[in-house]
Structures are given as C-alpha cells and as structure tokens.
Amino acid sequence: MLSMEIFMTLKDFVYHNFYYYFMSVEEETKSFLVLIVNTIARVLIWMVSNVFVGIYLGYGFYSGIMTWQNIVYYVFLVIGFVFLMRWIVKKWRRLFDN
C-alpha cells in the first residue's frame, strides 16, 4: 500500500505543478501555440487520409484511362484542400485582425 500512496502523491504533485505552470502562461501565447498545433494537426490528417486513399487503396493511380473512382478521389482531394485552406485562412486571419 505504501507504493500506491507514493504513486498518488507523485501524481498529485505532477498534476498540480503542470496545472500551475500552464496557468501561468499568458493566454495570448497559449492560444497562439494551440492555433499552430491545430493547424499542423489538420494538415497532417488531411495529408495522411489522402495518401491512404490515393496510394494504399490505389485511387490516385490510373493505367491508361481514368475510372470514375479516380475522378471521385481527385474531386474530393481538391474539395478537401479548398475547405482546409478556408479553415486555415479564417483562423489565422482572426488572429491577425485583433
């Protein structure tokens, strides 16, 4: 039981120190870093999903003639890119308008 008490004490110590550390960070800096991480995460998710569908499932390649699956893949690729860019521009513009 002593090890469980030490673990709980250590857990509380770490939690409170991280809590107070992150609470001491200025709100503007924190929101800026969150915006950077969100942007990188969305771009990576978009890229990985398109690589998976395009390369792993084979919809990005065509031999000789394009099929309807290739056309649908490329249409969704472009539409997804447009929506991703709209989100990025909207979020970053809000940051610089203030």
Side-chain angles (χ1 to χ4, degrees), residues 1-2 5 17-18 22 36 41 50 66 69 82 84 94:
M1 282 304 180
L2 183 60
E5 292 173 9
N17 281 340
F18 279 124
F22 284 116
I36 291 171
N50 283 309
M66 288 187 76
Q69 291 101 343
V82 168
L84 178 69
R94 185 183 311 159

Side-chain angles (χ1 to χ4, degrees), residues 8 20 26 28 53-54 58 72 81 84 95:
M8 294 304 290
Y20 289 118
E26 291 183 20
E28 184 177 312
V53 173
V72 169
F81 182 73
L84 178 69
L95 176 75

Side-chain angles (χ1 to χ4, degrees), residues 59-77:
Y59 293 124
F61 305 113
Y62 57 93
S63 55
I65 188 167
M66 288 187 76
T67 62
W68 66 272
Q69 291 101 343
N70 299 114
I71 295 170
V72 169
Y73 167 72
Y74 284 113
V75 166
F76 277 113
L77 179 87

Side-chain angles (χ1 to χ4, degrees), residues 39-52:
T39 303
I40 291 171
R42 289 207 183 204
V43 169
L44 285 177
I45 289 171
W46 177 81
M47 288 173 58
V48 167
S49 63
N50 283 309
V51 165
F52 174 75

Side-chain angles (χ1 to χ4, degrees), residues 5-58:
E5 292 173 9
I6 293 173
F7 174 73
M8 294 304 290
T9 307
L10 182 63
K11 184 182 109 181
D12 290 338
F13 175 75
V14 170
Y15 171 76
H16 288 297
N17 281 340
F18 279 124
Y19 177 76
Y20 289 118
Y21 173 75
F22 284 116
M23 290 305 291
S24 67
V25 175
E26 291 183 20
E27 195 61 37
E28 184 177 312
T29 305
K30 187 176 172 182
S31 65
F32 181 68
L33 293 175
V34 167
L35 178 64
I36 291 171
V37 170
N38 282 342
T39 303
I40 291 171
R42 289 207 183 204
V43 169
L44 285 177
I45 289 171
W46 177 81
M47 288 173 58
V48 167
S49 63
N50 283 309
V51 165
F52 174 75
V53 173
I55 295 175
Y56 186 73
L57 298 180

